[in-house]
Amino acid sequence: GGGGGGGGNAGDSMLSTYKELCSVVSDIGQPDLLYKFMEISNHQKKVNRAASAGAGIARIAKKAGMSLSAHSEQLAPRLYRLRKDVNLNMRETAEAAWQTLVAAEKEKKSDDDNKMVVASDLSVKMFDQICERLLLDCSSREWRVRQSAAEALAELFSSGGAGKTFDIVEKKLAEAWTIAFRVADDIKETVRIRGMMFVKTLRSLSLRLTDANQIGESLASSTRDEKRNVAKKACILILPQLFEKGLKSDSSVARELSLFVACEILKKAPAEALKPHCVTAVEALLEALSTFEDTRLNYYEQRVTAMFGNDTDANGNNSVVENFQNARVQASSNSIISDALDAFIQHVDLEETKLLAPVFTNIFKKGLGLNTKVGAGRFCVRLCARRPDAAKGFFAGKICEALLASPDVLNGVSSGGASSKIVFRQYCQTFATCLRFATLKRQEKTIADVLKLANDDSSNCSNREAAAEIISEMAKDSRGVECLKDFEDELLPLAYFGTFDENASVAKCWESAWEELSGGGAGAAGGGSAIGKHFPNLWNSFLKPHLEGTNYSLKSRAARTVSAAMQSTSFSTKDASINNTDEMNANKEKMMRDMLEVLSNELRSNRAFKGKNELAIALGNVLKAMISMAMVEKNGSNKDASFEALNRLTKCVESKDDGFAAAGVQALKSSLEQLVASGPGEEENVAPASFVKDAKFQSFVEALVSSLTARVSSGVDGRDAGMGDTNNEENDEMEMDGPDAEMERFEKNKSKSAFTERAMECLSVVGELKDVASSDVHSALYRVAIEHSALGKPWQTRVSSFRMFRGLFTSSKSSSNVGGEKYNDEFLRISSEALSEVGNSAPAALRIETIKAVGALLSRAKMESSLSKLKESCESMIKLALEDRSPDVRREAASVFALV
């Protein structure tokens, strides 16, 4: 049939109406009623034409109505829809028939209370039959039927109809929401418009029925408990439809409508009405966090990742992708969905958490969507904070177990396995929060699992990163620290060892955890007492096994950890308040001797690997710490281990690898500096007597000086000094051409320069040792000092040379006779050139060191009357320095002049 009333000519319209009426009377098995309908229709038209004929028509309509009333149960459902038909004639005929049916119902007496039936109560009386038929018609293949049914349903559920009482709509309310979502997303626009009318009617009705304060007039005299009971029943019917069907629907319209209505209900519904729906609602709302986000954002994120990458910048700031994801999460956290989730937290109790645990386990292990994952973690954190009694025990334990098995935690972010840094950090924060509320047994098992992840020695750092982030998050909270206190014997050594991880993000997390748990920073900066307390466990559990192991990365890392620990106050002072009891000092002495032996043995190997330099530096730091704590000459075992360490480092100096040799020189320099600094007085530096006067130490000094002077002297290559002839290899290298060869030669020259600089610094320290070096050693030091203090040499090397001169002049043997007049004259000439030199090659530091060396020689010359000429030369140079352009040089010259 046509639509509206002008869809065709009058004949076609009438024919359509006739066919529809035939269909109605055939369905109910009363074909004779067709004539009654036609009579009513004709009389209705007469009423429209002449109001004066009302009385006669009313009598005829009354007579016809009595015949229709006998079949009201079959006619009412069909007439109710036909009143909203798209055909105007059909509307008029059906409306007239409906009014006749209503008039006939008025005349009926109630068998129970003998009261007149109100006209508007016909739809109430036959609500179930009418609603069932209309809901069925909403699934019809004909759009005009669906449209009229939706419009009729909107009227049927409105407040002017049956919507005032819950007992009338109770049976059909749930099904009505399902059908409403369907017609609101119909393929035809006019049907969708009527469907939205139906949805709005259901929304108003649902909000009224779920709010105890707006239940309706029929319950006005009821108690508040009865009203709350009605609201609870309404929530039981409505919320599952919204959460299970509406929010999970493929239709965006249905999802949006469900979300809006659900959030409105959550604001006003009584707590006992919402409580049974916590699990269903939370699961649906968490999924909605992602499904309601604009899908284009995922595409934009992929494009941003492709353009800018996912790494932090040079300053450590977040990447563009991370900032983009932060914005997405922030927008999601400010949505009405997040507000609804927060509203449900107050309704969660112990029983609900048992049902919620599988929901979150599934999301953490298999969840999709950035906002869903972050929202799930955030919900757990807030649940623990606001409902600790409900989260404590079972729920917290299950969450920790699920997070440790989550790919977003185990895969880490450095390896790119985690879906997002935001998700990874949120999961780690959630884990740290929930662990505090888990049972002690679960805590012990979980900490053991975390330690297992942290001790993963594979090249993939994702497990270590996950463990570090988890412990770091726990350490940021006072309750987390309390939880970790019971495991500090295992965690603190691990945390300190982790601060030296090769991965920067892992090391940063462990450093943060160490600072919070120990009260100090990593390395020599702080945490000294904590290092001393937990170092034995650290050495036995981590450092020694890794140093003796075959994993070279862990071997190098263990060496760096030893070096840092030895520089802490716990291993660099004799203070009893730091080193604690004599028994602890004895154990520390035994452990340090063990470190010397292990590191010396590891350096015996000729195998080169990345990070081997760290072993040499670590050995030097251990030896330095033993010297500072006066342990090297405490017993024979300590002395033998120390001499072995010195000899092993000397072998390192002879290595063909300039970088490794430089590391050995640096280690020896730090140890020898500590020997020079050790002594009873501040002015007189006296090395440990029995140690430095031992024949083994004298032999060590001679071997070291011989090796270093030969390697740094002009025209003498270290490879010729007992290390094999490699001239052919060098010639081959020089014949190579191209940028790679040029870069290789540059790096080699750089390594040689670094070695020479460190070697000169080490030799200058040897020159400061008193009553140790022989005349031959002093002569060798004189020669190399003169050679490397000349013009044209790097100023850093020249500074070391003049420092070496100063040490030689202050030794116990007469400096005037060490090198003879030749060396003295050479020194005066070179010093004069250094003080007169200008430009970048002669910084103030060089002239200051020159003045110190001249002052040392002047002090020696004043003790012997035969050196008056040498004395005059030194004084003239000091006076020259008093007029230097640098105030620092003038100040040093004045100080030296005053002393001598």
Side-chain angles (χ1 to χ4, degrees):
N9 54 39
D12 292 339
S13 179
M14 292 298 295
L15 181 61
S16 176
T17 302
Y18 178 76
K19 289 180 178 179
E20 190 70 31
L21 292 175
C22 289
S23 175
V24 172
V25 297
S26 297
D27 287 344
I28 65 176
Q30 299 292 334
D32 56 317
L33 291 179
L34 176 61
Y35 301 103
K36 299 293 184 183
F37 282 129
M38 293 176 67
E39 183 180 357
I40 292 171
S41 178
N42 290 332
H43 284 294
Q44 182 64 35
K45 291 178 181 178
K46 291 178 181 180
V47 170
N48 294 337
R49 292 193 188 102
S52 61
I57 293 173
R59 287 193 296 269
I60 297 173
K62 179 179 179 181
K63 183 178 179 181
M66 297 301 294
S67 300
L68 295 178
S69 178
H71 306 284
S72 59
E73 292 187 1
Q74 291 82 14
L75 285 174
R78 289 165 175 80
L79 289 176
Y80 201 88
R81 179 185 67 78
L82 292 174
R83 293 167 54 247
K84 306 298 180 182
D85 194 84
V86 297
N87 183 282
L88 182 58
N89 290 328
M90 188 70 252
R91 279 174 172 249
E92 292 175 352
T93 302
E95 181 65 30
W98 175 261
Q99 293 299 331
T100 301
L101 195 59
V102 170
E105 288 294 326
K106 283 185 179 182
E107 301 298 327
K108 287 187 176 182
K109 300 287 186 177
S110 174
D111 296 335
D112 298 328
D113 52 15
N114 200 30
K115 287 184 179 180
M116 293 293 293
V117 178
V118 181
S120 60
D121 285 350
L122 180 59
S123 60
V124 176
K125 178 182 178 181
M126 298 183 180
F127 179 84
D128 290 343
Q129 296 91 326
I130 296 174
C131 186
E132 183 176 358
R133 181 66 192 185
L134 293 177
L135 293 175
L136 183 63
D137 288 342
C138 284
S139 302
S140 173
R141 298 182 61 182
E142 298 181 22
W143 65 267
R144 57 177 288 179
V145 176
R146 300 197 302 273
Q147 179 176 321
S148 59
E151 187 175 352
L153 282 168
E155 180 183 285
L156 183 65
F157 280 88
S158 66
S159 59
K164 292 183 178 179
T165 58
F166 173 71
D167 54 342
I168 299 297
V169 300
E170 180 179 5
K171 295 180 181 179
K172 299 298 181 182
L173 187 57
E175 186 181 358
W177 268 110
T178 303
I179 298 300
F181 291 141
R182 184 186 305 167
V183 293
D185 194 42
D186 196 272
I187 192 173
K188 186 166 177 58
E189 183 180 3
T190 56
V191 179
R192 291 198 299 271
I193 294 174
R194 270 54 172 202
M196 287 302 298
M197 292 172 55
F198 182 27
V199 169
K200 291 179 180 179
T201 300
L202 286 179
R203 169 186 169 274
S204 300
L205 176 63
S206 298
L207 292 178
R208 186 169 62 253
L209 293 178
T210 53
D211 187 354
N213 297 323
Q214 302 181 30
I215 290 299
E217 297 176 0
S218 61
L219 292 178
S221 61
S222 302
T223 64
R224 181 167 181 81
D225 290 340
E226 292 175 343
K227 291 183 178 182
R228 295 178 72 89
N229 188 46
V230 170
K232 182 177 180 181
K233 290 181 180 179
C235 288
I236 292 174
L237 292 174
I238 298 170
L239 290 180
Q241 299 298 317
L242 299 177
F243 291 129
E244 296 178 8
K245 296 182 179 179
L247 288 177
K248 297 182 180 181
S249 172
D250 294 333
S251 168
S252 60
V253 175
R255 292 197 300 269
E256 293 173 2
L257 292 172
S258 300
L259 176 64
F260 180 77
V261 175
C263 292
E264 289 293 322
I265 291 175
L266 293 178
K267 294 178 181 179
K268 299 180 180 180
E272 60 270 20
L274 297 177
K275 193 172 182 180
H277 307 286
C278 280
V279 178
T280 304
V282 169
E283 182 179 10
L285 290 171
L286 286 174
E287 293 179 3
L289 286 172
S290 294
T291 56
F292 276 86
E293 188 182 43
D294 194 329
T295 55
R296 291 175 294 181
L297 291 176
N298 290 321
Y299 170 75
Y300 294 151
E301 183 177 325
Q302 292 176 1
R303 295 296 300 163
V304 168
T305 304
M307 293 173 62
F308 301 101
N310 198 22
D311 298 326
T312 57
D313 60 19
N315 298 324
N317 299 321
N318 294 341
S319 65
V320 177
V321 176
E322 191 171 354
N323 289 332
F324 187 85
Q325 291 178 343
N326 271 325
R328 291 176 61 185
V329 171
Q330 186 66 29
S332 172
S333 63
N334 293 330
S335 65
I336 60 173
I337 304 177
S338 293
D339 294 340
L341 284 168
D342 288 342
F344 266 111
I345 291 179
Q346 62 183 331
H347 305 307
V348 177
D349 59 14
L350 190 59
E351 293 300 322
E352 272 70 42
T353 56
K354 293 180 180 179
L355 300 176
L356 281 173
V359 173
F360 286 99
T361 298
N362 184 61
I363 292 177
F364 292 145
K365 290 183 178 180
K366 304 176 183 178
L368 299 176
L370 172 70
N371 292 328
T372 296
K373 293 179 178 181
V374 175
R378 188 169 56 231
F379 185 91
C380 292
V381 172
R382 293 178 179 176
L383 180 63
C384 290
R386 293 165 58 180
R387 303 284 292 172
D389 294 338
K392 190 175 182 180
F394 177 81
F395 179 80
K398 284 295 181 182
I399 295 301
C400 292
E401 182 181 359
L403 287 170
L404 272 186
S406 171
D408 289 290
V409 173
L410 294 179
N411 292 340
V413 293
S414 298
S415 60
S419 59
S420 158
K421 291 182 180 180
I422 308 297
V423 174
F424 175 75
R425 288 169 184 165
Q426 179 62 61
Y427 279 8
C428 290
Q429 181 185 1
T430 304
F431 180 93
T433 302
C434 291
L435 185 60
R436 300 196 297 264
F437 295 90
T439 61
L440 180 60
K441 184 177 181 181
R442 169 62 66 180
Q443 288 179 356
E444 292 175 351
K445 183 181 184 304
T446 304
I447 292 296
D449 292 339
V450 172
L451 293 175
K452 185 177 180 181
L453 292 177
N455 289 323
D456 184 10
D457 57 358
S458 63
S459 58
N460 187 353
C461 66
S462 59
N463 287 346
R464 302 199 308 275
E465 184 176 17
E469 190 78 31
I470 289 169
I471 300 301
S472 177
E473 286 294 335
M474 292 191 69
K476 292 177 182 178
D477 188 271
S478 58
R479 289 173 295 179
V481 174
E482 290 294 328
C483 176
L484 295 176
K485 274 188 176 180
D486 295 334
F487 309 98
E488 65 175 12
D489 290 340
E490 295 83 10
L491 282 175
L492 278 174
L494 174 63
Y496 190 76
F497 184 56
T499 59
F500 302 95
D501 197 285
E502 293 80 3
N503 184 280
S505 62
V506 176
K508 185 177 180 181
C509 290
W510 280 122
E511 184 175 355
S512 174
W514 168 259
E515 291 175 356
E516 294 294 338
L517 296 174
S518 69
S529 59
I531 295 173
K533 177 180 178 181
H534 296 282
F535 192 83
N537 191 16
L538 174 63
W539 169 252
N540 294 319
S541 301
F542 297 97
L543 303 182
K544 186 176 181 179
H546 290 323
L547 286 172
E548 296 177 339
T550 57
N551 188 316
Y552 296 116
S553 176
L554 290 175
K555 193 187 293 283
S556 172
R557 180 177 160 196
R560 292 197 304 273
T561 308
V562 169
S563 295
M566 293 301 104
Q567 296 176 44
S568 68
T569 55
S570 183
F571 290 92
S572 59
T573 179
K574 301 177 184 178
D575 189 353
S577 64
I578 297 296
N579 293 320
N580 300 304
T581 63
D582 293 338
E583 181 181 357
M584 292 183 66
N585 285 333
N587 294 333
K588 188 180 297 184
E589 178 185 343
K590 181 179 179 181
M591 180 176 59
M592 294 178 72
R593 184 169 64 247
D594 189 22
M595 283 189 276
L596 287 179
E597 295 172 353
V598 170
L599 288 168
S600 297
N601 289 335
E602 291 302 316
L603 286 172
R604 290 178 185 275
S605 173
N606 293 325
R607 182 184 293 275
F609 57 89
K610 183 180 179 180
K612 190 176 182 180
N613 299 5
E614 303 293 345
L615 272 69
I617 295 174
L619 181 58
N621 284 322
V622 175
L623 187 57
K624 177 181 178 180
M626 290 191 70
I627 294 171
S628 69
M629 299 176 70
M631 291 183 179
V632 291
E633 56 180 356
K634 203 166 186 180
N635 55 55
S637 299
N638 289 0
K639 192 178 283 189
D640 292 342
S642 300
F643 285 137
E644 174 60 25
L646 290 172
N647 293 330
R648 184 51 47 197
L649 290 174
T650 305
K651 292 295 183 182
C652 294
V653 172
E654 299 172 356
S655 171
K656 297 179 181 180
D657 184 350
D658 290 321
F660 182 59
V665 172
Q666 181 67 26
L668 284 170
K669 173 177 172 288
S670 64
S671 300
L672 294 175
E673 283 178 336
Q674 190 61 48
L675 279 174
V676 172
S678 299
E682 296 181 357
E683 296 181 358
E684 184 181 5
N685 293 325
V686 180
S690 62
F691 184 77
V692 297
K693 291 181 180 180
D694 193 287
K696 293 181 180 180
F697 186 79
Q698 302 287 340
S699 300
F700 151 73
V701 171
E702 293 177 0
L704 175 64
V705 171
S706 176
S707 176
L708 290 180
T709 54
R711 192 160 179 172
V712 302
S713 295
S714 303
V716 180
D717 186 10
R719 293 178 176 83
D720 295 334
M723 287 177 281
D725 185 8
T726 59
N727 289 332
N728 292 333
E729 296 179 6
E730 292 187 0
N731 291 335
D732 292 339
E733 291 175 1
M734 293 301 294
E735 291 176 0
M736 295 174 60
D737 197 6
D740 293 340
E742 185 68 26
M743 180 60 68
E744 185 177 353
R745 287 194 292 271
F746 174 78
E747 291 296 333
K748 284 188 175 182
N749 291 333
K750 184 178 179 181
S751 298
K752 289 179 180 179
S753 299
F755 172 82
T756 301
E757 180 180 343
R758 292 186 180 182
M760 292 299 297
E761 292 176 355
C762 183
L763 289 172
S764 68
V765 177
V766 173
E768 296 179 26
L769 288 171
K770 296 184 178 182
D771 300 327
V772 173
S774 63
S775 298
D776 292 338
V777 170
H778 276 207
S779 297
L781 292 176
Y782 245 111
R783 288 193 299 270
V784 74
I786 289 175
E787 180 181 348
H788 286 276
S789 59
L791 291 174
K793 297 292 183 179
W795 70 268
Q796 296 92 338
T797 304
R798 296 174 69 188
V799 169
S800 299
S801 299
F802 282 107
R803 188 177 296 127
M804 194 185 308
F805 278 127
R806 178 159 56 93
L808 291 170
F809 294 151
T810 55
S811 63
S812 60
K813 296 186 178 181
S814 175
S815 61
S816 60
N817 297 324
V818 169
E821 294 184 2
K822 176 182 177 182
Y823 286 127
N824 292 337
D825 293 341
E826 283 292 323
F827 168 75
L828 293 175
R829 179 183 63 81
I830 293 172
S831 298
S832 178
E833 291 175 349
L835 291 173
S836 304
E837 191 177 0
V838 295
N840 294 332
S841 60
L846 173 62
R847 300 197 297 278
I848 290 174
E849 199 59 46
T850 302
I851 288 299
K852 290 181 179 179
V854 172
L857 180 59
L858 179 59
S859 298
R860 178 61 64 184
K862 282 194 172 185
M863 297 180 183
E864 301 180 24
S865 57
S866 60
L867 300 178
S868 57
K869 184 178 179 181
L870 189 64
K871 173 185 174 184
E872 293 176 359
S873 300
C874 292
E875 289 178 346
S876 64
M877 280 190 285
I878 294 175
K879 292 177 181 179
L880 177 64
L882 290 173
E883 300 177 358
D884 193 271
R885 61 185 181 277
S886 171
D888 294 334
V889 176
R890 294 196 300 270
R891 190 180 304 109
E892 184 63 33
S895 176
V896 170
F897 192 78
L899 289 175
V900 298

